[in-house]
Amino acid sequence: MTPTLIIVPGLGDSGPGHWQTLWQHRFGAGRVQQDDPDHPLPEVWAARLHEVVGATPGELVLVAHSAGVATVAHWARLFGAEDRVRGALLVAPADPGQPGMADLHPELLALAPLPLEALPFPALLVYSENDPYCTPERAEALAGAWGASAVSAGEAGHINVDSGHGEWPDGEILLSEALHAWTPPAVVRF
């Protein structure tokens, strides 16, 4: 059985040309829609993710971008393990501790501090070498703390529409590979 993708957007709810929105339509994914997508509050955003997870049947895969990555980390800390979550694709995390964040997006400061406990499900963190919201070193440190695998997307900016990632076919490949890795082998009985 194929798991249901749950899209966890960051600031601004990932607009119509964003790869998350395109994936939602292409794959029939669920989506976390925050009441105020421009002002993240960890407890509020995590609670909305918890509502969506609870209302979506079957196995799930979380697909988070930017502040949505922080939402997944806060959700795991606040609500614990959810056995139906097979894994998470965490893309371009926004680090509220990044130098200059107060100038880039001061609203992201509300997400600090990021939880550093291991996630209760497998995860793949995809980061960029030139993301203004998170250094490669910090992305790798977050992946290590969360027990996630990490992969560089090269110089891909914030892996959003502004950096030329509408469809993002490389992301689909990464998701497919991660899903394959997270799928337990079939039991064969003789």
Side-chain angles (χ1 to χ4, degrees):
M1 181 175 179
T2 303
T4 299
L5 301 182
I6 300 293
I7 302 296
V8 187
L11 290 181
D13 195 40
S14 298
H18 195 286
W19 60 267
Q20 282 189 308
T21 302
L22 298 173
W23 287 14
Q24 176 187 357
H25 298 300
R26 182 176 303 126
F27 303 124
R31 186 183 192 98
V32 178
Q33 293 186 294
Q34 301 293 347
D35 289 334
D36 188 350
D38 295 318
H39 298 94
L41 295 172
E43 294 80 11
V44 173
W45 280 32
R48 178 56 52 88
L49 172 56
H50 193 65
E51 289 173 14
V52 172
V53 166
T56 307
E59 290 188 328
L60 309 173
V61 171
L62 307 177
V63 179
H65 178 261
S66 190
V69 173
T71 300
V72 169
H74 283 290
W75 172 74
R77 177 184 58 83
L78 292 167
F79 293 97
E82 171 60 59
D83 293 340
R84 297 180 307 114
V85 175
R86 186 185 290 178
L89 180 66
L90 309 172
V91 181
D95 177 14
Q98 175 84 10
M101 188 60 75
D103 296 325
L104 284 171
H105 273 297
E107 50 280 335
L108 290 174
L109 299 177
L111 296 170
L114 289 178
L116 297 177
E117 296 87 11
L119 296 173
F121 41 78
L124 173 63
L125 189 147
V126 182
Y127 65 92
S128 169
E129 300 290 333
N130 62 342
D131 189 338
Y133 300 101
C134 189
T135 66
E137 296 79 18
R138 177 65 169 160
E140 294 220 357
L142 289 171
W146 294 336
S149 301
V151 63
S152 170
E155 292 190 359
H158 195 49
I159 312 177
N160 60 5
V161 173
D162 290 343
S163 62
H165 296 87
E167 294 285 333
W168 197 37
D170 290 343
E172 287 186 47
I173 293 168
L174 290 168
L175 175 62
S176 177
E177 290 172 352
L179 283 170
H180 181 72
W182 300 333
T183 302
V187 175
V188 179
R189 299 188 193 278
F190 295 97

